[in-house]
Amino acid sequence: MSASTQPLRPAGIVGSPGTPRGDALVAMMGLTTCLLPFLVPAGPGNTALADAGILLCVVLSMLWAGREQLPIKLPYATGVAGLILGGAFAAYVSVAPVGTGLVLIQDLLLFAWSAALALGRHNPAIVRAVTVSWCHTATLYSGVMVPAYLVGLNAITGVSAKDGVRAPYTFGDPNLAGNYLVVSLFLMAACKHPRSPGVRRIAYLLVLLAIGFTGSNGAMLTLLVGLVLAVAVTAYRRRGAVGGLAVLASAALAGGLMAGFVMPRVDLGQLREQAAGSVPLLRDSFGRSANSSGERATIVSEGANLFLRGDAAGYGPARTKATLEATQAPYVKEAHNDYLATLLERGVIGAIGLLLFGVGVLARCLRLVFGNLPKAYAELVPRPWLLAVIGPVMATAAGFYEVLHFRHLWTWLGLVAALVLAMQDQHEEA
């Protein structure tokens, strides 16, 4: 959705005569990206130091765009508008506490952050700063956390009795930590950072180990989904549609054989019991998978009953747990599912907004898979189709996390928007 009808200007390349620089903005975006993993200790309303950086970047980007009279796009605006309007209407109808307004403010801030990053269409230095900062941060972060976990430095890894031996690191939640690292892995592969192949392989290994130490079953599932799709889209880019479809068909066949012949002959309960009595990390990850699956099934069941007993308006943002408590539900928890949470908390309006939001994300991911970036951006993201793989990864994760509140999701969305807009600019200029 365009916020301006001005004709598009050529993308501003830093260092070219007469083009915008925005050096302070570039530096601040890089620094803010480095702060994304550091969420504890949390401030009021689960705010973190990265939020201050995000707010400053939004202000700087507005000043820069206004000074240079840049045409501004608001990617994903239609879907986000539906989500926010649905939340606001639900809060009004249900007379939700004033504190629920903070959730909508956070939604607006994250959306503004992605829109600020989308200004990278005018300045490749923005894309460079964010991608390089992200890749290097994930590598160094894993390089510190993996040895710290191995030697038992719980003060650094965040391991506590709450999550057993699972490492939440500086995220406060092992699942959130695992999701960030999975996304980082595919970003590193898309950008080929670190540049040295040998160093990059070591970085991959460190990130994979860091994912494993979170003990997050969801992270492992999304990693598998992402790897299959990464191989498929890479085969498509190299050998055409036949190559890509062959990989997907092979994966589907393997999955069918597992489901039809292998799984019926495997006693999952016994495997879980063995895992529960084995090494602590297996005990706290795969060993608890039955309980975790049962809890999520209960949450979905209670959420569905709650929606059917209510109306189409919703109960207000972040009000699922409070509403379950008020109705004396037997199992009181947050939805831990973006699809269910949106329907319950933001009603039908929010659900339509989420659908439109998903369509917008999918369309941009497909552009990255099938299109070609301008040269200045292709040097920064040599394999953009691997960046697109993060879309299905996050869509899968949304089935068991509320990923719409993840700061790294909106950082990725802003990068995707910047690259796709740069492709559109190149097409129009041609």
Side-chain angles (χ1 to χ4, degrees):
M1 180 182 294
S2 176
S4 172
T5 57
Q6 299 180 47
L8 290 175
R9 295 174 51 176
I13 310 298
V14 173
S16 299
T19 57
R21 293 184 60 86
D23 293 335
L25 174 61
V26 170
M28 196 62 214
M29 284 185 166
L31 176 60
T32 300
T33 304
C34 293
L35 295 174
L36 291 178
F38 302 98
L39 304 184
V40 292
N46 287 324
T47 55
L49 191 57
D51 295 323
I54 288 173
L55 181 59
L56 182 55
C57 286
V58 170
V59 172
L60 289 174
S61 65
M62 292 173 62
L63 294 174
W64 178 57
R67 186 184 72 239
E68 302 295 338
Q69 297 184 341
L70 299 174
I72 298 176
K73 292 275 188 175
L74 298 177
Y76 321 108
T78 304
V80 172
L83 288 167
I84 292 177
L85 287 174
F89 181 67
Y92 173 76
V93 171
S94 62
V95 196
V98 177
T100 59
L102 179 62
V103 179
L104 299 178
I105 293 173
Q106 291 171 337
D107 292 345
L108 283 171
L109 180 62
L110 290 173
F111 171 62
W113 166 238
S114 71
L117 290 169
L119 289 173
R121 71 184 286 205
H122 302 294
N123 190 347
I126 290 176
V127 175
R128 181 192 302 276
V130 174
T131 53
V132 172
S133 297
W134 192 336
C135 293
H136 288 178
T137 298
T139 301
L140 294 172
Y141 188 86
S142 300
V144 171
M145 292 301 174
V146 167
Y149 184 88
L150 291 174
V151 300
L153 294 178
N154 295 346
I156 295 177
T157 61
V159 174
S160 65
K162 173 188 172 186
D163 298 303
V165 298
R166 301 172 63 207
Y169 304 127
T170 55
F171 289 86
D173 183 337
N175 295 319
L176 175 55
N179 183 262
Y180 168 83
L181 292 166
V182 169
V183 172
S184 299
L185 192 69
F186 289 107
L187 186 86
M188 290 161 61
C191 300
K192 289 188 173 182
H193 270 297
R195 286 301 188 200
S196 168
V199 176
R200 190 162 63 248
R201 292 189 189 99
I202 295 173
Y204 289 157
L205 178 60
L206 288 171
V207 174
L208 284 170
L209 286 172
I211 293 170
F213 293 154
T214 65
S216 173
N217 295 320
M220 299 307 295
L221 174 61
T222 54
L223 177 62
L224 179 61
V225 169
L227 288 174
V228 170
L229 291 176
V231 173
V233 295
T234 301
Y236 164 76
R237 295 286 298 198
R238 292 177 178 174
R239 297 191 292 274
V242 174
L245 290 174
V247 172
L248 290 177
S250 299
L253 178 61
L257 291 173
M258 285 288 292
F261 295 97
V262 178
M263 297 306 295
R265 293 167 173 79
V266 175
D267 188 345
L268 284 178
Q270 184 179 2
L271 286 178
R272 290 190 183 104
E273 288 178 5
Q274 292 175 349
S278 64
V279 296
L281 189 58
L282 275 177
R283 178 197 66 207
D284 293 332
S285 56
F286 182 70
R288 65 174 179 84
S289 59
N291 291 336
S292 180
S293 299
E295 289 175 358
R296 294 187 187 282
T298 302
I299 291 171
V300 171
S301 175
E302 289 188 354
N305 291 332
L306 190 62
F307 177 75
L308 293 174
R309 292 198 305 267
D311 54 41
Y315 294 95
R319 293 285 298 162
T320 297
K321 184 175 180 179
T323 306
L324 288 172
E325 287 178 344
T327 57
Q328 297 183 337
Y331 190 76
V332 177
K333 279 274 191 177
E334 293 292 351
H336 294 297
N337 178 321
D338 263 323
Y339 308 108
L340 178 63
T342 299
L343 188 61
L344 285 176
E345 298 173 1
R346 302 173 190 246
V348 174
I349 296 175
I352 294 173
L354 181 62
L355 177 62
L356 295 174
F357 176 75
V359 170
V361 175
L362 175 62
R364 288 168 175 84
C365 287
L366 291 176
R367 288 291 301 273
L368 291 181
V369 171
F370 298 114
N372 295 303
L373 294 176
K375 182 180 178 181
Y377 294 89
E379 293 174 352
L380 304 176
V381 189
R383 297 183 287 203
W385 54 91
L386 296 182
L387 200 64
V389 166
I390 296 173
V393 164
M394 296 304 286
T396 303
F400 34 87
Y401 310 141
E402 293 185 44
V403 303
L404 289 176
H405 303 297
F406 290 1
R407 296 164 181 82
H408 59 269
L409 167 69
W410 291 93
T411 307
W412 169 75
L413 287 170
L415 285 174
V416 169
L419 296 176
V420 171
L421 287 168
M423 292 169 64
Q424 293 176 358
D425 291 344
Q426 175 182 247
H427 177 72
E428 293 182 12
E429 291 167 15

